[in-house]
Every structure is written in structure tokens, then in C-alpha cells.
Amino acid sequence: MYRIIESDLLAANIYRMVVEAPRIAKHCMPGQFIIVIKDEFSERIPLTICDYDRTKGTITIVFQPAGASTTMLTELKSGDHFYSIVGPLGNPSELCSMSKEELSSLKILFIAGGVGTAPVFPQVKWLHENGITADAIIGAKTKDLVILEKEFNEVCNLYVTTDDGSYGRNGMVTKCLEDLVAEGHDYNYAIAIGPMIMMKFTCLLTKKLGIHTIVSMNPIMVDGTGMCGACRLNVGNEVKFACVDGPEFDGHLVDFDQAMKRAQLYKTEEGRAKLALEEGKTHHGGCGNCGGDK
Ligand code: NAD
Ligand code: FES
């Protein structure tokens, strides 16, 4: 059982929980995710780790209820417990395996959209702790949906933009990126995390601008273990699974249109049957022998 120490609303329908999970807090790295299970009858929900405190033994998660399972998570309050939490899972951000020299050679821009702002935070913080203060864009539909602004301001050079211009700059994150480049910023490495459509259009732009771009394919995960096949995607000419091979990938190689179409199909039984017919057994083949990922 994992005790919830704090539970609050960051913005309308965006929940933050700080949870006691000492083993995960000790080992997790930016970019990794966990699976939370509310009670013994609940589904497994993959969520990116948004912060961790190795001394206190806590991790922070931020989520926006989308389906029944995430909505049920909102019933949990401070003092309640998660039945189970599995993790850390997935690969850490590639930044974490770079040398100080490699990191210093990069001109890094983080691009965070909506709830995707939360999983960006540990990467920005980790870089800052390692002596690099990167630039970051936070994009939200409107002022009330901007989250973690204070936390970001402490660890990066922050640009906030809202679609309706009610706060910060005016326009979507792609407009802000274009403006920053026009103002003379010269980036060569970007990490874009947010809704799929945002990552798609950000990648189209960064490709044009010649900025290497990493994205997180967390939104298409379902069971997070490599077995359900939901997170199958094409990266370059290869079939990958976000939960096992990612969640982060080279955004210029991701086939976003196929991933979004597939995620829609996966939602219904009929869609899953269609996918099974087209792709065969689509699970990752975690056993290493069955070839299910081929
Ligand atoms: P949103 O729709 O409010 O969009 C957030 C920002 O993304 C916008 O303010 C805008 O700046 C940018 N954006 C949106 N559409 C764009 C477009 N067509 N072109 C350029 N920029 C665009 O986001 P939300 O409602 O907070 O997002 C919820 C989604 O985020 C969910 O679908 C969830 O799956 C996803 N999410 C992704 C991750 C991840 O790891 N990639 C993590 C958490 C949440
Ligand atoms: Fe099920 Fe990746 S989320 S295989």
C-alpha cells in the first residue's frame, strides 16, 4: 500500500498527488513512468513521474481524468492509499545518459503542452541540478490552465504562452517557438511533451528548423507492460512499443498520424479486432521468443 501524503487540484480537472513510495523515489529517473492501481479491482493506469524526493521517499504524479479509471483516482484524498504502484518503468530521458560535455554542447528547449507540462518538469529540474539552465515553453489553452509555473521558474528560463492570449505570450507553443527563433534563440535540441497533435505539429516545425526533437508517447499507453499492444507505433521503419522501447522517441521519426489513428481504434472492441486482423498478435513479445513484436 502506498500512502498519499498530499492531494490537490493544480487547475480545473488537473490533480496532483504526492505519494510515499521510497523504493521508486530512490531509483526513478526523469522520463520514467509508474503504473498505479487504485484498489484490487481497478485497472492499471500508466502515469509519468512528475517529481521525486529521494530523501523524503516520495514521488509526485499529475493527471487529468479522461476515462472511468482516472476519474476514480480523483476519489483518493490525502491519507488514503494506492493498492499498488509499479515502477519505475520505461527508459529514462536520453539526457540523463549524456556526459557534462555533451549536455553543455546542446542548446536545449523544452516544449510543454497542457498536462504534458508535468512530465517535462523532472527533466528541467534534473538539468538544472546538473548545472544547466535550459529554456522552456509552457503552453496552455488559457490562463487558468497554466500549471507549475512557479516550479519551472526556479529551474529554467520560462516562456508561458496561452492559446487565447489571456496570459503570457499569445498563441500555441509552435507560435512561441517560431517567435523565440525569430528573436535570435538558436536551439539544437528540443523535448516536446503534450497532446499528440501538439507533438506532431511541433515536430513538423522543428524538422523545418533543424532542431533535433524528442517526444514522449505516454498518451497511447494502456497497460504499460508490453503485453496489451496498445502503444505500438512506427518509428522510422521500425515497430516500437512506447512502454517498453520508450516512452521517449526521436519525434522526427514517429508516425504520428498512424499512432493517433491506432489509438482511436484501440478504444473499441471492434477497433481492437480490426487491429488484430491487420497486425496479427500485437503484443510486444515480452517473453523474447514469440516474435509478437515482428
Ligand atoms: P491542450 O489541448 O490544452 O493543449 C496544450 C497546448 O498544446 C496548447 O495550449 C497548445 O499550445 C498546444 N497545442 C495543442 N494543439 C496544438 C496544435 N495543433 N499545434 C500546436 N500546438 C498545439 O492539452 P491538454 O488538454 O492539457 O492535454 C491533454 C493531453 O495531453 C491528453 O491527451 C494526454 O494524453 C496528453 N498528455 C501527454 C503526455 C505525454 O507524455 N506526452 C503527458 C501528459 C498528458
Ligand atoms: Fe500495452 Fe505498451 S501499453 S503494450
Side-chain angles (χ1 to χ4, degrees):
M1 301 283 265
Y2 295 82
R3 190 160 69 98
I4 299 166
I5 314 269
E6 288 171 36
S7 170
D8 50 23
L9 261 184
L10 285 183
N13 213 29
I14 304 178
Y15 292 77
R16 182 187 75 110
M17 290 179 183
V18 180
V19 187
E20 237 171 27
R23 195 185 58 81
I24 299 172
K26 187 172 170 192
H27 297 289
C28 67
M29 294 297 288
Q32 291 189 294
F33 68 95
I34 52 168
I35 291 173
V36 301
I37 306 173
K38 178 176 174 274
D39 56 51
E40 57 189 311
F41 306 106
S42 300
E43 284 180 13
R44 307 156 64 89
I45 304 173
L47 294 172
T48 319
I49 299 165
C50 300
D51 201 2
Y52 50 86
D53 186 323
R54 301 206 202 281
T55 313
K56 291 183 182 161
T58 59
I59 55 170
T60 302
I61 52 174
V62 171
F63 63 93
Q64 184 179 45
S69 304
T70 38
T71 301
M72 281 193 280
L73 284 190
T74 66
E75 293 164 6
L76 294 171
K77 303 287 172 255
S78 172
D80 290 343
H81 293 78
F82 281 105
Y83 171 69
S84 184
I85 298 185
V86 185
L89 299 168
N91 299 303
S93 156
E94 72 172 9
L95 290 174
C96 302
S97 57
M98 290 185 191
S99 66
K100 291 236 160 157
E101 290 70 34
E102 282 175 291
L103 287 173
S104 308
S105 72
L106 298 176
K107 292 165 207 144
I108 304 173
L109 173 68
F110 290 91
I111 305 167
V115 193
T117 301
V120 170
F121 180 67
Q123 302 202 27
V124 184
K125 184 177 161 187
W126 183 90
L127 263 188
H128 185 70
E129 285 167 355
N130 283 276
I132 293 175
T133 303
D135 286 4
I137 299 172
I138 291 181
K141 282 195 191 83
T142 189
K143 182 179 178 184
D144 296 345
L145 294 175
V146 176
I147 58 169
L148 302 175
E149 183 182 2
K150 180 176 157 288
E151 289 83 349
F152 270 75
N153 260 321
E154 286 167 6
V155 291
C156 68
N157 307 312
L158 182 63
Y159 302 89
V160 178
T161 186
T162 48
D163 299 4
D164 64 0
S166 53
Y167 188 59
R169 294 178 178 227
N170 189 350
M172 293 187 175
V173 290
T174 38
K175 160 97 170 33
C176 187
L177 168 56
E178 278 182 314
D179 291 348
L180 289 177
V181 170
E183 288 162 23
H185 293 268
D186 177 25
Y187 303 110
N188 58 13
Y189 192 100
I191 297 103
I193 304 184
M196 296 276 278
I197 193 74
M198 173 211 118
M199 295 191 287
K200 173 187 163 172
F201 281 101
T202 299
C203 286
L204 288 174
L205 176 61
T206 56
K207 200 167 185 178
K208 217 165 65 183
L209 296 170
I211 305 172
H212 179 67
T213 303
I214 299 295
V215 296
S216 169
M217 298 304 282
N218 184 289
I220 57 174
M221 287 187 208
V222 174
D223 76 341
T225 60
M227 295 309 290
C228 72
C231 69
R232 179 177 164 136
L233 75 158
N234 278 0
V235 182
N237 289 322
E238 289 180 62
V239 171
K240 298 282 182 190
F241 290 79
C243 63
V244 180
D245 303 314
E248 296 188 354
F249 296 99
D250 179 339
H252 294 166
L253 298 181
V254 170
D255 185 338
F256 284 102
D257 291 335
Q258 186 234 25
M260 287 188 279
K261 191 174 152 214
R262 204 180 175 284
Q264 272 308 111
L265 274 175
Y266 197 88
K267 284 182 182 158
T268 65
E269 205 171 316
E270 199 187 327
R272 289 194 290 278
K274 187 167 186 287
L275 288 172
L277 198 67
E278 286 171 7
E279 300 169 347
K281 298 276 181 220
T282 58
H283 82 276
H284 181 265
C287 61
N289 297 317
C290 70
D293 54 338
K294 297 291 186 294

